[in-house]
């Protein structure tokens, strides 16, 4: 099944980077994020976000682990998913997106799958999950 929706970042809080740090041309940053979802994907998530990113040039890579609580097509529960992508001044490439196996609860117990994130030109953030529910 595919469930899709939109999301907004409700909070983005930078966090200290664990040491020891190694200096590179793009330093690594860590943050926590809270997101709100609407559509066939409805609910909220708490995210651990790590990135090496140049804001001025729009170049970098991020890795995120999210804990989602809400509904997919009205089925309520929680699960984890991970995603990453690289940008080189525009567009996303080298994307990775997976539902963490054995992480589902409630009516989402047994969830597996993949998905994706896209950002429209107007800044709207879209998400989708291509998922199955185990028995």
């Amino acid at each position: 099944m595919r469930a899709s929706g939109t999301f907004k970042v409700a909070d983005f809080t930078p966090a200290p980077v664990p040491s020891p740090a190694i200096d590179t041309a793009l330093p690594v940053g860590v943050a926590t994020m809270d997101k709100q979802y609407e559509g066939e994907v409805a609910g909220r998530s708490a995210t651990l976000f790590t990135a090496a990113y140049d804001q001025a040039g729009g170049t970098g890579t991020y890795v995120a682990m999210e804990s989602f609580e809400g509904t997919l097509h009205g089925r309520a529960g929680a699960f984890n998913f991970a995603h990453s992508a690289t940008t080189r001044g525009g567009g996303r490439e080298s994307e990775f997106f997976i539902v963490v196996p054995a992480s589902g609860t409630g009516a989402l117990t047994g969830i597996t799958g993949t998905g994706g994130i896209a950002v429209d030109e107007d800044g709207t953030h879209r998400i989708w999950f291509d998922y199955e529910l185990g028995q």
Side-chain angles (χ1 to χ4, degrees), residues 7 11 19 28-29 33 37 42 65-66 90 98 103 108-109 112 115 119-120 122:
F7 69 89
D11 181 64
S19 56
V28 174
M33 299 171 73
Y37 296 83
M65 176 66 73
E66 300 204 30
I98 190 158
S103 68
L108 299 175
T109 298
T112 59
V119 182
D120 295 348
D122 68 0

Side-chain angles (χ1 to χ4, degrees), residues 29-91:
V30 177
T32 59
M33 299 171 73
D34 293 322
K35 297 178 183 174
Q36 297 292 322
Y37 296 83
E38 295 180 349
E40 296 168 338
V41 178
R44 66 188 185 101
S45 71
T47 307
L48 296 175
F49 184 83
T50 304
Y53 188 74
D54 171 27
Q55 294 231 347
T59 300
T61 299
Y62 80 88
V63 178
M65 176 66 73
E66 300 204 30
S67 298
F68 173 84
E69 177 180 62
T71 61
L72 299 183
H73 291 120
R75 294 177 181 258
F79 61 92
N80 297 317
F81 64 101
H83 53 100
S84 67
T86 295
T87 60
R88 297 179 192 269

